[in-house]
Amino acid sequence: MHNTVVQTTNKKWIIESIVNSFSGMYFLMLSIIQGAALSFWVVKISSLPINWQNPLTEESFRQLLPYFVSFLLIIILWHSYFWLAVIGRWTPLIWDSLLMFLIGAIELFVINNMNHYIWYYSLGFLGILAGIQYIYNAERLNDEVWDIDAKEIGRHIRQYKKKRGQVLIFFSCAGMLIIFVVHIFRPNYLYLSAIIILFVQFWTIREHLRDQKNTLSKLKIYSVNK
């Protein structure tokens, strides 16, 4: 059978193909998972029995708070993965796919259990897993994946990702302990834990914006020097 070879495959081409396709593959996986999560969230909130003409009552607030926190969670996960796909590239391992799809599965579980006490525990577990992924990504962004003139940028990104992961794991473990105590002794006040989670989300957004600004500032210096 005739097989016209346009260009022979060599080791260099394979390595370049794997590395250069990282961002596209990562972003495609991200789009599928977060798109499914957002669609599931829309279905759940559309079936919520609530008086939308007067959503500011205490009962409505308690019902809507988990939905708002979950929606913000989708945005934070989307942007974190998107930023990672833009600034980093490496040869993906099975652990990259496993962590992403595992986080996506737990995210769907979180959305499915809004307005149920399991929602609080699943959020804590998701935070721990997200912290693990931060630390994992920091390890993958080692000096070998950066050009010699960009190693300072790589170390900066690796440092803040590792620190963010450690803080997330600590907050998530402490949060699950608090949730457990409140759930056992004061179950009617469990919704207050969602407010604490909301403030942690705002903290995460603030820290991300600060780190992103510092990274872009370093990239500007790097571009000028190049």
Side-chain angles (χ1 to χ4, degrees):
M1 180 178 179
H2 180 65
N3 182 18
T4 303
V5 178
V6 178
Q7 181 178 358
T8 57
T9 301
N10 53 51
K11 182 179 179 180
K12 181 180 178 182
W13 181 89
I14 294 174
I15 294 174
E16 290 179 350
S17 177
I18 293 173
V19 173
N20 291 332
S21 63
F22 172 78
S23 293
M25 290 189 298
Y26 213 71
F27 195 69
L28 177 61
M29 292 168 61
L30 169 65
S31 300
I32 294 173
I33 294 172
Q34 297 306 312
L38 182 59
S39 300
F40 196 25
W41 181 88
V42 170
V43 171
K44 295 289 289 185
I45 197 171
S46 62
S47 61
L48 183 65
I50 190 172
N51 183 12
W52 293 102
Q53 295 179 349
N54 187 20
L56 299 179
T57 63
E58 182 179 353
E59 181 181 357
S60 298
F61 175 77
R62 291 190 182 192
Q63 285 184 305
L64 288 174
L65 185 58
Y67 286 81
F68 179 73
V69 171
S70 299
F71 179 71
L72 199 58
L73 175 67
I74 296 173
I75 297 175
I76 292 173
L77 285 173
W78 165 271
H79 190 75
S80 297
Y81 275 120
F82 170 74
W83 178 242
L84 175 65
V86 170
I87 63 174
R89 60 177 186 172
W90 58 75
T91 304
L93 302 176
I94 186 62
W95 309 114
D96 295 277
S97 300
L98 180 63
L99 282 170
M100 176 177 280
F101 279 103
L102 185 57
I103 287 177
I106 298 175
E107 187 179 4
L108 291 176
F109 185 80
V110 167
I111 295 172
N112 188 54
N113 287 282
M114 293 181 295
N115 283 330
H116 192 280
Y117 74 88
I118 295 179
W119 178 80
Y120 297 92
Y121 293 101
S122 58
L123 268 181
F125 186 72
L126 181 61
I128 294 173
L129 194 59
I132 293 173
Q133 171 132 47
Y134 265 112
I135 296 173
Y136 170 79
N137 291 337
E139 293 298 323
R140 297 306 309 276
L141 291 170
N142 54 50
D143 284 349
E144 295 179 1
V145 303
W146 301 94
D147 183 82
I148 188 171
D149 294 325
K151 288 188 183 298
E152 181 185 354
I153 300 171
R155 293 189 183 110
H156 160 72
I157 294 172
R158 188 165 64 249
Q159 182 180 11
Y160 82 70
K161 280 190 171 294
K162 185 175 182 179
K163 180 180 178 182
R164 184 77 46 77
Q166 293 171 342
V167 172
L168 263 177
I169 292 174
F170 174 78
F171 278 165
S172 299
C173 291
M176 291 184 72
L177 180 60
I178 294 173
I179 289 168
F180 176 77
V181 173
V182 174
H183 180 215
I184 296 299
F185 297 102
R186 291 290 187 272
N188 292 333
Y189 293 96
L190 192 59
Y191 77 96
L192 295 176
S193 301
I195 299 177
I196 298 176
I197 295 171
L198 187 61
F199 277 106
V200 172
Q201 288 182 319
F202 287 145
W203 170 84
T204 302
I205 293 173
R206 187 196 68 177
E207 291 297 301
H208 177 79
L209 290 175
R210 186 192 66 179
D211 293 330
Q212 190 176 47
K213 182 180 179 180
N214 291 337
T215 302
L216 293 175
S217 177
K218 291 179 179 295
L219 285 170
K220 183 178 180 181
I221 296 173
Y222 170 65
S223 299
V224 171
N225 290 337
K226 290 290 285 186

